[in-house]
Amino acid sequence: MIYVEANNLPSHIGIIMDGNGRWAQLRGRERVEGHREGSKAVRRIVRAARRLGIRALTLYAFSEQNWARPELEVDALMQLLREFLLSERDEILENGIRLNAIGNLGRLPAVVRTVLDPLRNESATREEMTLTLALSYGGREEIADAARDLAREVAAGTLRPEDVTEHTLHARMPSLTVGDPDLVIRTGGERRISNFLLYGLAYAELHFADVLWPDFTEHDLYEAIASFQRRERRFGLVGKPAEPILASEGEVATPASTDGAASEKAAENAPVLRLVG
Ligand code: IPE
Ligand code: IPE
Ligand code: MG
């Protein structure tokens, strides 16, 4: 049983959906079949997030660097994206979901744009959850775009150089209009960020799941959120004083470590305590 507290949900979750290719290869199938299975996981997780009451979900579906993959794979991904948007259209609109997209959208082929753009417009006033697809997206590229915008404003005389701050830069990042990500999940076993939401990641909690994206279930999402809820976010400040835990009469115990990963592990396998004194 996983307990998720309704009053302490991450308001913005980002997911690096990784592992489609390996999922297929492990089964002796074409990588594209892994992407097809991956789009079923997208459906599952969007529904689960909406039901939980998550306000913003950002899915890393295609990076700017992914264009360099074999043409056949890129074409198949674009086709699957189109099919996803077509098949989810009604559910998105009926469930109050605003569908948004970030990234270098100009690079997307017409087969995608002709379904993506109308759905973005039609769903623009929906307010239950914002579902953002990161497509042809790169975190460094987004930072460079925002810097270029500011440079243009300075050159035009509408902004003073001293007004180039972390806030004005933040305000020009499309990925952060829904706020900084509180929790970023990466599936597929790699412990890296691969150019996702770099600027907004400053104080995000990270959760790495070993499960390949096509196998990622609602249960895995709840587990990631429960892990988020066990952490103390300090934002550079001083944390709550560590409370001694009474193990048994006369003995005082503290959690094995105050280090984030270890205390998370402690909570997972509770009670894991190291006796002191
Ligand atoms: C993630 O799965 C989907 C995209 C990057 C488009 P991958 O295709 O990267 O799968 P692996 O990492 O090769 O298994
Ligand atoms: C990150 O996965 C991009 C997406 C999930 C869309 P990659 O598979 O492209 O990342 P690397 O190459 O393993 O770093
Ligand atoms: Mg990958």
Side-chain angles (χ1 to χ4, degrees):
M1 176 65 81
I2 298 171
Y3 293 97
V4 169
E5 295 167 44
N7 59 3
N8 182 24
L9 290 170
S11 109
H12 179 189
I13 299 181
I15 308 185
I16 304 171
M17 309 183 290
D18 194 31
N20 293 350
R22 278 164 287 161
W23 183 93
Q25 282 160 344
L26 281 170
R27 288 163 180 75
R29 289 153 68 178
E30 295 294 326
R31 291 177 57 84
V32 170
E33 295 196 46
H35 295 311
R36 188 176 301 283
E37 206 58 32
S39 66
K40 293 185 196 162
V42 175
R43 259 174 220 129
R44 249 191 332 262
I45 296 313
V46 170
R47 278 184 197 156
R50 168 71 182 80
R51 274 200 304 268
L52 270 179
I54 301 300
R55 306 294 303 162
L57 178 66
T58 299
L59 300 178
Y60 200 9
F62 193 82
S63 75
E64 186 75 352
Q65 289 66 34
N66 289 150
W67 288 113
R69 291 190 178 196
E71 201 181 321
L72 266 179
E73 181 168 343
V74 170
D75 289 350
L77 278 164
M78 293 301 140
Q79 197 54 44
L80 281 170
L81 181 57
R82 176 186 166 86
E83 285 167 24
F84 173 83
L85 292 167
L86 286 172
S87 67
E88 297 311 286
R89 186 184 171 281
D90 291 349
E91 191 164 334
I92 285 172
L93 293 172
E94 282 161 19
N95 285 285
I97 299 177
R98 183 164 89 92
L99 190 279
N100 199 9
I102 52 168
N104 186 357
L105 305 181
R107 271 188 97 171
L108 296 172
V111 286
V112 170
R113 291 300 294 267
T114 50
V115 289
L116 177 65
D117 295 346
L119 189 50
R120 283 176 81 189
N121 288 333
E122 276 179 83
S123 67
T125 56
R126 305 299 201 272
E127 290 183 339
E128 294 298 320
M129 179 173 92
T130 300
L131 169 62
T132 305
L133 300 180
L135 302 169
S136 192
Y137 175 83
R140 285 186 170 178
E141 288 81 349
E142 186 182 28
I143 294 171
D145 288 349
R148 198 179 313 108
D149 285 349
L150 289 177
R152 285 206 183 100
E153 291 170 47
V154 170
T158 54
L159 193 78
R160 297 172 308 165
E162 55 270 35
D163 291 330
V164 175
T165 65
E166 71 270 33
H167 300 293
T168 51
L169 200 56
H170 189 288
R172 281 153 188 82
M173 298 218 181
S175 68
L176 305 180
T177 53
V178 291
D180 287 352
D182 300 294
L183 168 65
V184 169
I185 301 168
R186 181 177 186 136
T187 64
E190 310 291 0
R191 268 67 174 160
R192 58 174 171 258
I193 295 302
S194 301
N195 209 12
F196 188 47
L197 303 184
L198 295 182
Y199 198 79
L201 277 176
Y203 279 102
E205 296 296 332
L206 306 179
H207 180 88
F208 296 102
D210 289 330
V211 55
L212 301 170
W213 176 250
D215 292 328
F216 194 78
T217 62
E218 293 89 336
H219 188 271
D220 296 310
L221 176 71
Y222 305 152
E223 231 169 50
I225 295 173
S227 150
F228 167 87
Q229 293 182 333
R230 288 194 295 269
R231 305 181 195 186
E232 184 191 14
R233 302 185 77 191
R234 289 193 284 274
F235 299 98
L237 307 180
V238 174
K240 286 200 267 321
E243 283 173 31
I245 301 161
L246 285 181
S248 67
E249 258 203 84
E251 287 174 328
V252 176
T254 58
S257 163
T258 50
D259 151 277
S263 61
E264 187 183 316
K265 195 161 183 7
E268 267 164 21
N269 309 313
V272 176
L273 301 168
R274 183 186 293 153
L275 298 175
V276 292

